[in-house]
């Protein structure tokens, strides 16, 4: 009788949807036994489901319950508070595993590249989202919500989320999981007018129709679109005719062109065909200079018209896209901000496949798609991984447990995370606030993981 093959050992770096869908695919697709270790630099799993999905989108956040079942599979382990590049190297992983899947997402914002972008009050939307979603890196961030007017640059779903959170009252967010200190800050907000700005026209807006409609349903905020912004050029009209999603957006936006009654405490102005040119201020943001744009029919590109206007805003939130960051020692394309790959197989500078290294999620394809997009994406990567390693004949050189123990790392296990999870549920109960209230500071999270 032939000896049984040794279990396949795979490390997954990142415990967001891409990483956990990859772990699930490994368990389901592998013909033999597979052991999957999921690493995250945070003590909490679920990535952008926890720290990117808006707190008032509870139905989307419920995806965490599905991902929880992946972590509870006997073949899957969670290692929190372990960071690639700080605690473990790429070489460490390849010594301890048959293969590695990198699924670290896209963690930083793109820049506008205009004067004044570094002024206090000019804020990356990623930082603001991290703050209201309770990310520990942003727990002590402060945002000047004493200003009355704010500009949000971008017309994607993240920009819509940011606008909606600014336009809601603290009472409307009380039943969500936002940290208590965030709720207190939003309760004191004096923001009354929010300008949401897109460089292109309504036919090119990236938000979904469902997200857009939510802005019109806010009980305490008027929303207005200028009728002249809805005049579609021939190219945009053709897009709207062919694309059901664009038609849906146009219909919603046209419904907001009537002048609002003005009896609600806050107002959202959704503007198109405006490109930021300069953020102005002495010591901090005082205004935003914009140039009117148009679509060049010959090139399909947006060009300036030479017509300018200035908005008297005290804060600018930049929401023009996410990008991934390089991982130490792993090939990276500095132009597209992804790990070069073919179907999830990592490619080296010479275009050849790098053995035993794979990618999934945004670091594989860029920041596109919705949460569910990661499932098929991860399955593709795993199919290639399993095909590549079907004939492996040597087990990993070392065991990760021994390596981690030798370095004395304060690892957070899945059982520790369940303690933190329970503490957040209990905190919500004690405050009479919804299902959970997030703990956002590192020390509080660590203490909750291992209660005395």
């Amino acid at each position: 009788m032939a000896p049984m093959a040794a279990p396949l050992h795979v490390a997954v770096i990142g415990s967001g949807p891409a990483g956990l869908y990859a772990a699930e695919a490994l368990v389901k697709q592998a013909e033999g036994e597979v052991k999957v270790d999921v690493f995250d630099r945070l003590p909490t799993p679920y990535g952008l489901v926890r720290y990117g999905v808006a707190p008032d989108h509870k139905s989307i956040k419920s995806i965490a319950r599905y991902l929880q079942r992946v972590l509870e599979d006997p073949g899957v382990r969670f290692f929190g508070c372990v960071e690639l590049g700080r605690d473990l190297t790429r070489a460490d992983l390849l010594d301890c595993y048959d293969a590695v899947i990198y699924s670290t997402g896209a963690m930083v914002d793109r820049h506008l590249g205009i004067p004044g972008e570094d002024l206090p009050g000019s804020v990356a939307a990623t930082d603001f989202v991290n703050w209201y979603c309770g990310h520990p890196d942003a727990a002590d961030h402060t945002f000047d919500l004493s200003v009355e007017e704010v500009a949000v640059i971008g017309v994607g779903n993240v920009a819509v989320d940011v606008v909606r959170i600014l336009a809601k009252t603290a009472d409307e967010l009380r039943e969500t999981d936002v940290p208590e200190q965030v709720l207190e800050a939003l309760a004191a907000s004096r923001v009354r007018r929010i300008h949401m700005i897109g460089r292109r026209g309504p036919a090119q807006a990236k938000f979904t129709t469902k997200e857009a409609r939510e802005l019109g349903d806010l009980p305490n905020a008027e929303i207005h679109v200028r009728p002249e912004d809805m005049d579609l050029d021939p190219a945009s009209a053709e897009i709207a005719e062919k694309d059901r999603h664009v038609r849906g957006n146009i219909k919603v936006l046209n419904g907001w062109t009537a002048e609002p009654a003005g009896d609600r405490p806050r107002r959202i102005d959704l503007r198109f065909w405006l490109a930021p040119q300069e953020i102005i201020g002495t010591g901090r943001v005082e205004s935003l200079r914009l140039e009117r744009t148009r679509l060049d029919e010959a090139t399909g590109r947006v060009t300036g018209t030479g017509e300018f206007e200035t908005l008297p805003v005290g804060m600018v939130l930049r929401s023009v896209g996410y990008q991934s960051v390089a991982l130490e020692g792993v090939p990276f394309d500095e132009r597209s901000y992804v790990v070069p790959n073919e179907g999830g197989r990592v490619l080296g500078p010479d275009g050849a496949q790098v053995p035993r290294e794979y990618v999934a999620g945004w670091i594989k394809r860029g920041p596109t798609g919705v949460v569910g997009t990661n499932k098929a994406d991860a399955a593709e990567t795993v199919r290639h991984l399993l095909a590549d390693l079907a004939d492996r004949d040597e087990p990993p050189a070392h065991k990760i447990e021994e390596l981690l123990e030798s370095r004395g790392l304060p690892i957070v296990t899945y059982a520790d995370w369940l303690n933190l999870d329970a503490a957040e549920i209990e905190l919500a109960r004690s405050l009479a606030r919804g299902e959970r209230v997030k703990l956002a500071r590192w020390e509080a999270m660590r203490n909750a993981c291992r209660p005395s």
Side-chain angles (χ1 to χ4, degrees):
M1 179 181 294
M4 293 183 62
L8 176 67
H9 286 80
V10 181
V12 175
I13 311 304
S15 68
L20 292 179
Y21 283 136
E24 179 187 44
L26 283 162
V27 171
K28 288 185 174 180
Q29 290 186 31
E31 292 185 1
E33 186 180 3
V34 62
K35 299 290 186 182
V36 185
D37 289 344
V38 180
F39 294 86
D40 205 293
R41 75 178 188 87
L42 299 175
T44 54
Y46 312 135
L48 280 181
V49 171
R50 181 176 167 94
Y51 294 121
V53 174
D56 55 348
H57 279 176
K58 294 184 180 181
S59 62
I60 301 175
K61 293 176 79 66
S62 67
I63 293 170
R65 287 195 283 273
Y66 179 92
L67 298 176
Q68 178 179 347
R69 294 201 294 269
V70 179
L71 287 173
E72 291 176 348
D73 187 281
V76 178
R77 296 187 297 182
F78 176 67
F79 291 85
C81 287
V82 180
E83 184 174 354
L84 178 62
R86 182 192 67 188
D87 303 313
L88 293 175
T89 66
R90 177 192 186 195
D92 291 333
L93 293 170
L94 293 171
D95 266 353
C96 295
Y97 294 95
D98 294 301
V100 181
I101 300 176
Y102 305 106
S103 57
T104 49
M107 299 177 285
V108 298
D109 71 297
R110 294 181 184 270
H111 292 273
L112 296 171
I114 61 174
E117 191 169 9
D118 294 329
L119 278 171
S122 171
V123 179
T126 49
D127 291 340
F128 192 68
V129 170
N130 282 344
W131 173 70
Y132 69 63
C133 284
H135 196 294
D137 289 349
D140 293 318
H141 287 190
T142 56
F143 302 92
D144 187 0
L145 300 179
S146 68
V147 301
E148 292 193 1
E149 295 196 39
V150 173
V152 177
I153 310 300
V155 285
N157 280 345
V158 174
V160 173
D161 286 345
V162 168
V163 169
R164 195 177 63 255
I165 295 299
L166 285 168
K168 282 192 169 185
T169 64
D171 282 344
E172 290 175 86
L173 294 168
R174 183 169 179 78
E175 294 300 307
T176 71
D177 62 7
V178 298
E180 189 71 2
Q181 65 267 27
V182 171
L183 195 67
E184 291 171 359
L186 291 172
S189 172
R190 295 179 60 191
V191 173
R192 293 297 177 266
R193 190 167 186 178
I194 306 156
H195 307 268
M196 184 177 175
I197 297 164
R199 291 177 64 248
R200 294 176 176 264
Q204 290 80 29
K206 298 297 184 183
F207 49 67
T208 61
T209 305
K210 180 179 181 295
E211 289 262 1
R213 285 197 187 103
E214 290 181 10
L215 292 180
D217 293 335
L218 296 172
N220 291 292
E222 306 283 355
I223 184 165
H224 181 55
V225 176
R226 298 189 179 195
E228 59 268 29
D229 282 0
M230 296 304 298
D231 293 334
L232 301 183
D233 57 88
S236 296
E238 184 178 354
I239 293 171
E241 184 178 344
K242 294 179 179 178
D243 191 318
R244 185 175 65 178
H245 160 251
V246 174
R247 287 199 305 275
N249 281 353
I250 297 296
K251 181 179 180 180
V252 171
L253 294 169
N254 275 324
W256 295 335
T257 55
E259 189 68 28
D263 59 347
R264 298 179 188 177
R266 294 173 183 175
R267 169 170 168 148
I268 301 166
D269 284 290
L270 182 45
R271 306 287 305 278
F272 296 100
W273 304 114
L274 291 172
Q277 296 298 306
E278 183 180 6
I279 298 172
I280 302 167
T282 303
R284 65 162 296 106
V285 172
E286 296 172 2
S287 60
L288 173 66
R289 189 168 185 256
L290 302 157
E291 182 179 13
R292 192 77 180 170
T293 62
R294 64 177 179 84
L295 197 65
D296 186 315
E297 292 186 26
T299 64
R301 296 180 178 179
V302 168
T303 61
T305 64
E307 179 185 348
F308 297 89
E309 70 174 279
T310 300
L311 297 177
V313 298
M315 182 165 66
V316 174
L317 287 151
R318 312 181 306 270
S319 182
V320 291
Y322 289 93
Q323 64 189 42
S324 297
V325 297
L327 301 172
E328 186 176 331
V330 180
F332 193 73
D333 187 333
E334 296 286 354
R335 292 172 298 178
S336 58
Y337 298 101
V338 298
V339 171
N341 73 93
E342 188 174 282
R345 294 177 169 116
V346 173
L347 302 178
D350 59 355
Q353 181 183 346
V354 178
R356 302 194 294 130
E357 294 183 82
Y358 302 84
V359 283
W362 282 0
I363 200 167
K364 170 185 174 182
R365 68 180 189 275
T368 60
V370 295
V371 172
T373 308
N374 293 293
K375 191 165 189 174
D377 176 282
E380 176 191 53
T381 294
V382 168
R383 282 196 302 273
H384 291 157
L385 182 157
L386 294 174
D388 293 345
L389 297 179
D391 298 323
R392 78 191 192 287
D393 52 13
E394 292 187 10
H398 298 97
K399 292 184 177 180
I400 190 66
E401 300 92 330
E402 295 172 355
L403 181 62
L404 294 172
E405 185 178 354
S406 71
R407 293 180 182 174
L409 298 174
I411 298 161
V412 169
T413 66
Y414 182 67
D416 295 332
W417 149 246
L418 290 179
N419 289 334
L420 171 54
D421 182 54
E424 292 183 341
I425 293 170
E426 173 58 25
L427 180 59
R429 188 202 61 77
S430 69
L431 296 170
R433 279 192 54 197
E435 295 178 6
R436 79 167 58 241
V437 172
K438 284 179 183 167
L439 295 171
R441 290 190 165 86
W442 282 101
E443 184 178 1
M445 295 170 80
R446 291 191 187 101
N447 289 343
C449 284
R450 297 189 180 92
S452 54

